[in-house]
Amino acid sequence: MTERPTSIRRPEIWTGIYLLLFGLAWWGIFSFTRHALDHADMVENYVWGTAWQWGNNKHPPLFAWITAAWFQWFPTRDSAYYLLEEVNLVLAFWLLALAMRRCMDWSRVLIGIVLTTLVTLYGPDSGFKYNANTAQLPFIAGFIWSLLHGLQSHRRHWFVLAGAFAGAALLCKYSAALLLMAIAGTLVVRLRPPRNIVMPGAALSSTVAALLFAPHVLWSIRHGWPSLHYMESAHPAQGLTSVVTAHLIVLVSAVLYMALPAVVWALARWQLPHRSGPMPDAPRLGFPLLLSTLTLTLAGALISGMTPVSSWLIPVMLFAGWALVDRIPAGLDLRPMAVRTLALAVVCLGLYGALAVMKDASTQRQPAPQPYVLQQTMAETVARIYRQRYGQPLNYVAGSFPLPYFVAFYAPEHPQAAYALDLRQSTWLDAHAFRQGGKAVICGTLRYFAQPPDPNCAAQARRQFGPPDEIRWLRWPVYDPATRRQALQTIQLLMWAPTPSPRQTATPPVNARA
């Protein structure tokens, strides 16, 4: 039998169509089958961003600004947050497609991009989570695209754009510096551009990136570099065994993340004409980029005395599909492979959706929700109780991390939230206004089943703010599917009215309470 002619006539158009389908599919899956954001990262972004500062206690500020700007136009709901992440991923993949187009035809680009989207980090694992790891993806991809343009066309404005993308990536996460160095080094080694192009271009890009990054450096110096201290304490090495184990786990994770794209790549090539012709004449950059970014990421962790985690592979896996498509010999008619790759990817999306719906249906049959599902309920309840008690909106909230951030995100009045009870690390807050304003402290957890509030939380709140005006105990029935037990999840709520100003104290209203 003769093979039917393929319908892939404009692969660049199909690349865009597939990316839109990818983003909409995952947005729908997450919006209808997830019932809570992640543990902390996403609500942290929102709290940091609303202050519009050049830093915070953990990361550079750009992705927090993007989050805050996004929610100027969209409601603070989970589905809107998932939409932000899908827009972020689609933009990153499109910029990556433009970069790949500098080295190959659109049929190969289409195959490579589709294979990249099958990395589970961009789907069921972390595809819903907009944070420092995923926010840098468009800027990393844009850096490759513009730097390739600059090295190939020898035009200065592309090096300026590369520097802008590099500065933006650094303003998302410090470790982007390692990725940028790995990418730039790989491109220079593989493309071998003239030295009189490389040196001025590198100087121009570095200058632009430094100018963009400089305000964050100045802010950090004034505030004692809180983000550097966090970076050192977040993943400390606990001896040689833990370091080796962590590196092995990351390497194994990288192989596993490559598994589904590799299987689809092999199936799509099935019974295609096997030719022993040469590889494409254009430089094969995919595997060198994948290897260099992975190597430098792990080396950076080793040198800095940190234990790497699998989520650090999110920007590294951008090159998974590129590496695979580079292994296809030149001269093959790739249109049948492009059709198969698209079809298999759509099947995968359908399977993911079906599994998510089945899992959600099973969850809905449980006699009570799991604790983490109560994030929005808890936040809206705290805000409502405070309004009913004092007749005014809640201004400030602190307590067990990250409960205050959930209140800041979900409550209609969006109170300012502190990092736990540490006003010093809450650089986005006015500590004096926090102590004087109407506030609540929330003690407890929504992460662990039926765990009672830590008494140290309430004790620390009393030391900082004095005796509360009122204490409430909030309880919700919860269920643990692992042990099949039901219990009550308890949150302790402490509330303080705003401290009256000296003028208000001197001339109280006639109807004031005694």
Side-chain angles (χ1 to χ4, degrees):
M1 286 180 65
T2 59
E3 190 171 7
R4 291 182 179 179
T6 176
S7 61
I8 298 295
R9 297 176 182 268
R10 296 287 302 277
E12 66 274 22
I13 300 298
W14 281 99
T15 302
I17 291 173
Y18 171 76
L19 287 178
L20 289 176
L21 174 64
F22 169 85
L24 289 173
W26 278 115
W27 177 62
I29 291 171
F30 293 138
S31 297
F32 289 103
T33 64
R34 285 187 62 86
H35 301 287
L37 298 176
D38 71 326
H39 169 58
D41 283 4
M42 297 170 76
V43 284
E44 271 188 319
N45 303 348
Y46 175 81
V47 170
W48 294 333
T50 53
W52 298 98
Q53 292 189 108
W54 276 97
N56 51 67
N57 64 323
K58 290 186 179 181
H59 292 294
L62 181 56
F63 68 96
W65 293 347
I66 294 172
T67 302
W70 179 265
F71 286 110
Q72 293 289 322
W73 297 94
F74 292 90
T76 50
R77 290 295 179 263
D78 295 1
S79 60
Y81 221 147
Y82 301 145
L83 182 61
L84 170 59
E85 170 61 355
E86 297 314 313
V87 170
N88 178 72
L89 289 176
V90 168
L91 178 59
F93 293 143
W94 182 251
L95 289 170
L96 182 66
L98 296 179
M100 294 173 67
R101 180 65 184 90
R102 302 294 302 176
C103 304
M104 62 188 71
D105 59 62
W106 269 109
S107 293
R108 290 177 179 271
V109 171
L110 171 58
I111 295 170
I113 291 297
V114 172
L115 292 175
T116 302
T117 63
L118 295 177
V119 174
T120 54
L121 285 170
Y122 310 129
D125 287 347
S126 301
F128 63 91
K129 184 187 296 188
Y130 184 77
N131 62 5
N133 291 315
T134 56
Q136 63 185 316
L137 295 179
F139 307 118
I140 296 294
F143 175 74
I144 305 168
W145 170 58
S146 51
L147 187 57
L148 272 171
H149 261 291
L151 294 174
Q152 291 173 341
S153 68
H154 303 173
R155 293 180 180 178
R156 291 182 180 178
H157 66 273
W158 288 109
F159 291 106
V160 173
L161 185 58
F165 278 123
L170 289 170
L171 285 172
C172 288
K173 195 169 183 180
Y174 295 142
S175 60
L178 300 172
L179 300 167
L180 297 171
M181 287 189 292
I183 291 166
T186 299
L187 296 187
V188 169
V189 170
R190 300 292 294 185
L191 298 179
R192 300 184 181 277
R195 182 175 297 182
N196 63 340
I197 296 299
V198 173
M199 300 308 292
L204 191 57
S205 296
S206 300
T207 301
V208 173
L211 289 174
L212 290 175
F213 195 62
H216 171 67
V217 174
L218 295 176
W219 182 93
S220 298
I221 291 173
R222 288 198 302 269
H223 291 82
W225 282 102
S227 48
L228 277 184
H229 295 312
Y230 165 76
M231 188 174 68
E232 293 173 354
S233 62
H235 304 283
Q238 304 292 337
L240 180 61
T241 302
S242 68
V243 171
V244 172
T245 302
H247 280 73
L248 289 175
I249 289 174
V250 171
L251 289 173
V252 172
S253 299
V255 174
L256 294 176
Y257 291 139
M258 286 286 294
L260 180 58
V263 169
V264 170
W265 175 83
L267 291 175
R269 283 197 60 186
W270 186 259
Q271 291 188 343
L272 281 180
H274 291 280
R275 295 178 60 177
S276 58
M279 289 297 179
D281 294 333
R284 290 180 289 156
L285 300 175
F287 184 73
L289 285 169
L290 180 66
L291 183 61
S292 63
T293 52
L294 175 60
T295 301
L296 213 54
T297 297
L298 295 179
L302 190 62
I303 293 171
S304 60
M306 301 170 63
T307 53
V309 292
S310 298
S311 59
W312 292 2
L313 294 173
I314 289 175
V316 173
M317 287 294 122
L318 270 180
F319 310 110
W322 195 340
L324 289 170
V325 82
D326 274 347
R327 302 307 305 165
I328 304 173
L332 292 180
D333 182 5
L334 296 184
R335 290 178 298 172
M337 182 174 181
V339 172
R340 295 175 186 178
T341 305
L342 275 173
L344 289 169
V346 171
V347 169
C348 288
L349 286 174
L351 289 174
Y352 279 133
L355 290 173
V357 169
M358 290 191 306
K359 181 180 179 182
D360 180 56
S362 175
T363 301
Q364 296 293 338
R365 289 194 294 269
Q366 294 173 357
Q370 297 179 49
Y372 70 88
V373 177
L374 298 172
Q375 296 167 359
Q376 183 173 348
T377 301
M378 179 276 300
E380 293 174 345
T381 301
V382 167
R384 185 183 69 252
I385 289 174
Y386 193 92
R387 284 195 304 270
Q388 292 173 349
R389 173 65 175 83
Y390 296 106
Q392 61 184 31
L394 176 63
N395 300 126
Y396 300 98
V397 60
S400 303
F401 176 83
L403 299 187
Y405 294 161
F406 292 124
V407 178
F409 182 75
Y410 288 115
E413 53 266 60
H414 302 297
Q416 296 187 54
Y419 172 65
L421 283 159
D422 193 338
L423 298 185
R424 184 177 180 183
Q425 286 200 55
S426 306
T427 55
W428 53 93
L429 291 176
D430 182 335
H432 176 74
F434 192 103
R435 291 188 175 92
Q436 297 297 315
K439 57 187 165 289
V441 170
I442 314 163
C443 299
T445 181
L446 295 179
R447 191 174 188 182
Y448 303 107
F449 174 75
Q451 186 177 96
D454 183 0
N456 291 327
C457 171
Q460 185 179 350
R462 288 186 174 91
R463 288 194 297 269
Q464 286 202 61
F465 310 125
D469 300 332
E470 187 170 340
I471 299 176
R472 299 277 187 97
W473 295 89
L474 312 179
R475 294 181 175 88
W476 295 274
V478 290
Y479 177 73
D480 180 17
T483 60
R484 298 184 179 181
R485 290 193 302 124
Q486 293 189 61
L488 291 176
Q489 197 78 15
T490 302
I491 299 294
Q492 186 180 17
L493 172 62
L494 298 84
M495 300 184 292
W496 289 260
T499 302
S501 65
R503 181 178 297 179
Q504 291 174 324
T505 304
T507 57
V510 175
N511 295 328
R513 292 185 179 182

